[in-house]
Amino acid sequence: MSERSKVIHDPVHGSIKVDEPFLTILDRHEMQRLRAVKQLGPGNMVFPGANHTRFEHSLGTYHLAGRMASSIGLSGEDTEAVKAAGLLHDICHTPFSHTTEEIFEHVSGMDHMETAGKLIKGEIRTNLERDDDLFGGMPPISEILESNGISSEKVCGLIMYPEQREDILDAFSDGKRAAHFSSRDFIHQIIHGPVDADQMDYLVRDAHYTGVTHGKVDVDRLIGTMRVNNDRIVIEKGGRSAAEGLMVARSLMHSSVYFHRTVRMIKMMLMKSIEASSIDVHNIYLWNDAELMSCLIGEGGTPSKIARSVQNRILYKKVITVFSEDASDELSSRLSEFTSYSKRKQLEGEIADRAGVDISNVVVDIPPSSILLSKMSIGKTDVSILDPEGKVKSLTRLSPVAKALQSRDTFGWSLLIASPEEHKEAVLRASKNILSL
């Protein structure tokens, strides 16, 4: 392996050493695209400092994955695979990050992690056709990994979600999971686990750039107290408070940043612009934020008007907001029928028809059914704590704080409907009629 290495200065983690083959991968066009994909999508429209990118986050995840691997004593081969997975886990995030992911998944049937596996192996295009003169004929990233003794299959497997199991379900997803090796689960937990490199980096990084103080995490204490017990990563008792702090930070960051109602509104408007356009989203994983906005504006008509409205912060107005504490069990149950992308689009169409407006003028946002129906969030609060006697207990059994977070509603609302100012009254009447509000 080459001795070439660099030290990259990161505002969150300080100096990050990157050596080969990761330097070569970092310079690849697939990774460089992430410099122009904002980590929080249009979040900077609400938090002006949130202009950081998926590139920075990927570098931070690579760094923390390496530190975690060292802390639990992974072999050199496994450490290299984990670091590669950390670096590449977001390589196929679509423009504006999670904003456009739902549309891409609906059309392609793959999430960004499944797409990443195919891109790494060279099974799908790695660049837009216009850039064939720059990148045509380049070997896939898998060849770089393999030539340096890193299994590309292992790396792709680490990037994928683990098999669906009750003890590691993440309530903020829709419950879909991809198959993965069932053995040596502790290695996989470095990328997808209750205390993983991915969330440790994004919580600290997003808090830093938004200015929100809730994302403070004692990363050094957490990593320093990590151990492996019965094929799982556990935290020694001395790290219990740091683990609680991570859980609190995660919950509060979701409430105050990730599920902020205005941020959600802007995301929905961008989705409306794409849905009204002629864009083929199958290869949108190759675009960056600016390219998508340029294409939408260039379309003219409705897509352009919505995209330009977002740019100038001319936002749809809230028509109906039903807060969680005001939602009856009956309403929550009824709303849970519309949480999928296709069902939500169907509801928007019904409201638009009843209101006599175009569907592009109606936005409906509903939390996942697990939130609506108050199902407990297990995965990200199920941290295992190892006591001095060698006994392992779930953090939720030891900590009232962690237990409370399992059922905490991180959205705070059950229904959000919005439209342009001029259509508010018509959309309001139609929404109340269709949903019996």
Side-chain angles (χ1 to χ4, degrees):
M1 187 178 293
S2 170
E3 295 298 321
R4 189 170 78 106
S5 66
K6 286 183 179 179
V7 172
I8 299 175
H9 300 291
D10 179 71
V12 173
H13 302 302
S15 297
I16 297 176
K17 183 180 179 182
V18 184
D19 50 23
E20 291 292 2
F22 307 110
L23 267 180
T24 296
I25 294 173
L26 204 60
D27 286 339
R28 290 275 301 212
H29 59 278
E30 300 96 329
M31 286 297 301
Q32 292 300 309
R33 181 187 70 90
L34 299 182
R35 289 184 183 272
V37 177
K38 287 189 177 66
Q39 170 78 1
L40 292 179
N44 66 327
M45 302 296 288
V46 175
F47 304 96
N51 293 299
H52 56 304
T53 68
R54 287 279 155 184
F55 184 87
E56 300 160 59
H57 167 59
S58 297
L59 188 63
T61 305
Y62 154 88
H63 172 67
L64 292 182
R67 288 187 59 189
M68 288 176 67
S70 176
S71 183
I72 63 176
L74 281 192
S75 68
E77 180 182 337
D78 286 336
T79 294
E80 296 295 278
V82 163
K83 288 164 66 177
L87 187 64
L88 294 166
H89 77 289
D90 277 349
I91 198 168
C92 283
H93 243 306
T94 50
F96 294 103
S97 296
H98 293 290
T99 302
T100 54
E101 186 173 31
E102 191 175 24
I103 296 177
F104 177 72
E105 286 188 31
H106 178 71
V107 171
S108 69
M110 300 185 295
D111 61 26
H112 74 273
M113 289 163 290
E114 294 172 271
T115 312
K118 291 183 177 296
L119 180 135
I120 290 167
K121 297 174 185 176
E123 296 174 355
I124 55 177
R125 287 193 65 89
T126 68
N127 61 269
L128 295 169
E129 287 186 22
R130 66 160 194 228
D131 293 326
D132 281 347
D133 60 330
L134 296 176
F135 312 122
M138 288 186 71
I141 291 173
S142 59
E143 289 191 20
I144 299 174
L145 294 171
E146 298 290 346
S147 65
N148 284 273
I150 303 173
S151 166
S152 59
E153 284 294 333
K154 180 182 288 187
V155 171
C156 292
L158 289 170
I159 290 172
M160 303 283 279
Y161 271 127
E163 291 179 322
Q164 186 171 342
R165 297 207 314 259
E166 280 300 315
D167 62 332
I168 49 177
L169 268 180
D170 178 356
F172 298 110
S173 77
D174 59 5
K176 185 174 70 175
R177 291 291 182 270
H180 174 62
F181 325 116
S182 58
S183 61
R184 307 192 75 198
D185 188 55
F186 64 91
I187 299 178
H188 198 266
Q189 281 189 298
I190 294 177
I191 307 298
H192 299 290
V195 183
D196 60 41
D198 181 22
Q199 69 168 321
M200 277 196 290
D201 182 81
Y202 74 64
L203 287 174
V204 177
R205 191 172 300 279
D206 294 347
H208 175 83
Y209 283 104
T210 58
V212 173
T213 58
H214 305 316
K216 182 68 176 176
V217 177
D218 191 346
V219 173
D220 292 338
R221 169 67 70 172
L222 282 171
I223 293 178
T225 55
M226 285 180 181
R227 301 292 179 265
V228 174
N229 182 278
N230 290 331
D231 200 36
R232 304 283 288 170
I233 289 180
V234 299
I235 303 294
E236 291 181 331
K237 191 174 182 180
R240 172 180 155 180
S241 294
E244 288 177 310
L246 176 70
M247 301 306 110
V248 171
R250 182 178 186 273
S251 185
L252 294 179
M253 284 294 288
H254 274 84
S255 299
S256 59
V257 177
Y258 308 134
F259 298 150
H260 189 287
R261 279 180 291 158
T262 304
V263 174
R264 296 284 295 190
M265 174 83 69
I266 299 170
K267 288 182 177 181
M268 293 297 172
M269 287 181 66
L270 283 173
M271 287 175 64
K272 282 293 175 187
S273 181
I274 297 169
E275 289 161 357
S277 76
S278 61
I279 293 174
D280 180 0
V281 300
H282 282 90
N283 70 344
I284 203 173
Y285 67 93
L286 298 173
W287 296 19
N288 62 36
D289 297 355
E291 288 167 337
L292 176 60
M293 288 299 287
S294 177
C295 188
L296 290 172
I297 292 172
E299 280 258 331
T302 297
S304 175
K305 183 178 181 180
I306 298 175
R308 286 181 291 113
S309 295
V310 167
Q311 277 190 330
N312 291 282
R313 215 175 185 279
I314 303 170
L315 307 182
Y316 286 8
K317 304 302 181 183
K318 296 180 181 69
V319 174
I320 292 175
T321 302
V322 178
F323 294 99
S324 303
E325 61 267 25
D326 299 325
S328 65
D329 290 344
E330 180 185 356
L331 177 60
S332 296
S333 179
R334 189 159 69 250
L335 292 176
S336 70
E337 299 173 9
F338 301 104
T339 55
S340 70
Y341 177 82
S342 57
K343 289 291 186 181
R344 200 172 68 248
K345 295 298 117 180
Q346 180 181 325
L347 176 59
E348 287 177 346
E350 291 177 7
I351 294 173
D353 288 344
R354 183 69 63 91
V357 301
D358 188 80
I359 191 172
S360 63
N361 292 310
V362 179
V363 160
V364 175
D365 197 11
I366 302 173
S369 58
S370 57
I371 300 292
L372 285 171
L373 303 178
S374 300
K375 293 180 180 177
M376 284 196 169
S377 163
I378 302 299
K380 294 297 185 179
T381 53
D382 192 31
V383 181
S384 298
I385 304 297
L386 178 69
D387 68 22
E389 287 74 43
K391 295 181 180 179
V392 177
K393 292 183 179 179
S394 170
L395 180 62
T396 54
R397 290 185 59 190
L398 300 170
S399 166
V401 171
K403 186 172 180 61
L405 291 174
Q406 282 189 332
S407 56
R408 182 177 184 268
D409 176 8
T410 48
F411 272 70
W413 45 271
S414 297
L415 173 66
L416 174 63
I417 300 177
S419 75
E421 179 73 49
E422 62 268 27
H423 299 306
K424 276 184 64 176
E425 290 303 319
V427 172
L428 176 62
R429 288 193 299 271
S431 301
K432 284 184 173 181
N433 189 288
I434 289 172
L435 292 170
S436 303
L437 296 175

